[in-house]
Amino acid sequence: MGVCATPCRHHPLSEKYPSVEQEKHIPNLQKFIEQLAEGLTTVFPNNQATYHRVHALLITWGPNDDLRTSIEIGELRDLFQKTYHFTTEHFIIPPERSEQKLLKKIVNTWDEHADARDLLIVYYGGHGIIKSGKNIWQAWKEKPSSATTERVITPELDWSEAQRSLMKADGDVLFIMDCCYATFTSKIEPKGGTKELLAATTFKQKAAGSHENSFTRALIRELKQINGAPYTATMIHERLLNHHKEYDIAVPQYVALHRTLNSRSIILVPQNVTLAINPPPEIVEPNPLIRQPKLMTDYRILISVAFVNPYETPDLIQWNEWFRKAAPRNIQDVKLSIEEYIRPEGAWESMSTYYLFSMPVSVWNSLPLNPAYSMLAIIKSDNLL
């Protein structure tokens, strides 16, 4: 009798009892600790992380937008110019031939900022939908009185082709998407530098409809509080997530679209200014070269990890010794302790050994994709039992 290689309608997996014996595992706890330590090298900014040029391209539908984004865009652009000294441009998508004209703008911007030492920030604020498996941007849900077109049906465009062009850039690209279904991306083969996404929602969610509690408004508030201190994209995401209830927004998303081996998360720091200026209150005691922000732990990520060894139960002293040996040496002024970055929440013997850990958001963002790691929940307390 033949056996199907993958589940099918004849031999489906049980919804209550998936094939647990075929779960992916990592060899041992020491390997996990090593990957954790390696991931930390990408979280913190360093004094060599500045860019040759940084340009922010802010994209909206302008007067054809029914979300009233003009005030927010003005504030965000002002922050990038005056606090960070980035060059900026606000591109208003025209209602006719929208996709072609946006793609032309993207290609021209890419040509001007294509150097491997450059950072390009691409922001979009507006409507987004998924149609026929594509990420579609739309001007309005209800046509605004300010619209500059006679069209009755909303202008729209497919963002996928423009994004595909940017994913091939040699330099780093930070996408900031304040729209519905913001993490939906087509399958794109990237190359070049780091590509990261900060997004208002997942590919299954709608964003806030009011500009008073929008993702962009929350981002502006966080950047004002940071006040020019060096922060990586993953740490900015961590701040947004820790404060999302205060801002009344959906859980913000972070996606590492592409990173080269051991590459650091994209850093936002004022151009032509030393990294030690204007530290927010969370900054620890300074090193002459750099001041490091502390990770935020109001919210933590609870994950499960499956190990091959069914008797993988070392004590905390052994954990710390592994972590001390594997800890990155190029993080200055950060006291690396395993208790701060990884907290064991439970362990059970199964067909293998099954662990629960909790960790700060940035640490989870830094871990490599591994089917042995599964995010279970975002938590904000210790174990209540």
Side-chain angles (χ1 to χ4, degrees):
M1 180 178 177
V3 178
C4 294
T6 58
C8 65
R9 65 188 180 89
H10 304 104
H11 308 93
L13 287 176
S14 166
E15 292 184 4
K16 285 195 173 183
Y17 293 94
S19 185
V20 293
E21 293 192 45
Q22 296 181 14
E23 282 182 347
K24 299 295 183 180
H25 302 77
I26 60 173
N28 50 50
L29 185 56
Q30 183 174 0
K31 182 65 175 178
F32 174 59
I33 297 298
E34 290 172 356
Q35 289 192 349
L36 172 74
E38 289 172 6
L40 281 172
T41 64
T42 72
V43 172
F44 296 97
N46 69 4
N47 59 302
Q48 298 176 339
T50 53
Y51 293 97
H52 176 61
R53 295 178 300 178
V54 182
H55 183 73
L57 178 63
L58 312 178
I59 305 170
T60 71
W61 291 94
N64 297 302
D65 177 7
D66 62 349
L67 294 176
R68 298 179 296 163
T69 60
S70 58
I71 296 176
E72 289 180 337
I73 296 302
E75 288 188 44
L76 185 59
R77 187 176 187 182
D78 195 56
L79 259 173
F80 283 150
Q81 288 179 337
K82 295 182 179 179
T83 301
Y84 290 94
H85 313 299
F86 299 162
T87 59
T88 67
E89 182 179 4
H90 181 193
F91 178 71
I92 297 176
I93 305 170
E96 307 299 334
R97 299 180 62 238
S98 306
E99 188 171 325
Q100 295 92 325
K101 291 181 179 179
L102 174 62
L103 183 58
K104 182 179 179 180
K105 168 53 67 176
I106 291 292
V107 171
N108 289 341
T109 303
W110 175 29
D111 285 342
E112 295 172 8
H113 302 274
D115 191 271
R117 299 171 297 166
D118 291 347
L119 168 63
L120 178 61
I121 300 171
V122 179
Y123 165 93
Y124 171 68
H127 291 292
I129 65 170
I130 298 175
K131 182 190 293 185
S132 301
K134 296 180 179 179
N135 190 346
I136 303 298
W137 291 357
Q138 292 184 330
W140 66 67
K141 295 297 183 183
E142 182 176 342
K143 186 175 180 179
S145 58
S146 59
T148 60
T149 177
E150 299 298 322
R151 297 173 58 123
V152 177
I153 300 175
T154 177
E156 63 180 36
L157 61 86
D158 179 6
W159 163 241
S160 305
E161 189 62 34
Q163 185 188 34
R164 186 175 290 107
S165 298
L166 290 168
M167 291 295 286
K168 297 176 182 177
D170 292 329
D172 294 353
V173 181
L174 176 62
F175 298 94
I176 303 175
M177 299 287 137
D178 189 357
C179 60
C180 298
Y181 313 108
T183 61
F184 183 88
T185 57
S186 57
K187 292 183 178 180
I188 301 169
E189 187 64 33
K191 72 173 188 177
T194 298
K195 311 295 188 296
E196 293 177 296
L197 169 65
L198 293 176
T201 62
T202 71
F203 70 94
K204 296 181 179 180
Q205 288 180 309
K206 293 184 178 181
S210 169
H211 66 90
E212 289 300 325
N213 63 334
S214 70
F215 174 78
T216 301
R217 175 62 56 195
L219 177 63
I220 290 170
R221 290 172 179 169
E222 288 300 326
L223 292 179
K224 285 183 176 179
Q225 290 180 30
I226 291 171
N227 195 25
Y231 267 73
T232 56
T234 184
M235 298 183 80
I236 293 172
H237 169 250
E238 181 177 81
R239 290 184 64 96
L240 287 164
L241 192 149
N242 273 266
H243 296 151
H244 79 281
K245 288 292 186 182
E246 175 187 337
Y247 296 141
D248 193 24
I249 60 173
V251 175
Q253 303 295 309
Y254 165 86
V255 182
L257 297 170
H258 176 61
R259 281 190 187 172
T260 55
L261 184 63
N262 295 326
S263 66
R264 192 173 302 274
S265 177
I266 289 169
I267 180 175
L268 295 189
V269 64
Q271 287 293 90
N272 304 318
V273 180
T274 61
L275 295 187
I277 72 164
N278 300 330
E282 305 93 275
I283 300 300
V284 299
E285 289 298 318
N287 177 278
L289 296 177
I290 187 169
R291 299 180 180 185
Q292 293 290 1
K294 287 185 177 180
L295 301 186
M296 304 186 76
T297 56
D298 293 344
Y299 286 83
R300 296 171 66 86
I301 306 298
L302 181 68
I303 73 167
S304 66
V305 182
F307 298 99
V308 173
N309 186 351
Y311 307 105
E312 186 68 46
T313 54
D315 58 31
L316 190 58
I317 295 176
Q318 189 174 10
W319 290 25
N320 275 293
E321 180 62 17
W322 286 343
F323 189 78
R324 185 188 64 79
K325 290 180 178 179
R329 299 290 183 263
N330 61 340
I331 297 179
Q332 303 173 32
D333 287 333
V334 177
K335 183 181 179 182
L336 292 173
S337 65
I338 196 168
E339 296 91 340
E340 181 178 357
Y341 296 110
I342 183 72
R343 185 183 301 166
E345 303 288 355
W348 296 265
E349 289 184 10
S350 180
M351 276 62 77
S352 55
T353 302
Y354 190 80
Y355 264 88
L356 297 185
F357 297 101
S358 67
M359 60 189 65
V361 175
S362 283
V363 178
W364 170 241
N365 288 344
S366 75
L367 280 175
L369 289 175
N370 190 319
Y373 306 153
S374 297
M375 176 180 168
L376 302 179
I378 300 172
I379 59 175
K380 60 177 182 178
S381 74
D382 293 331
N383 194 326
L384 299 178
L385 297 178

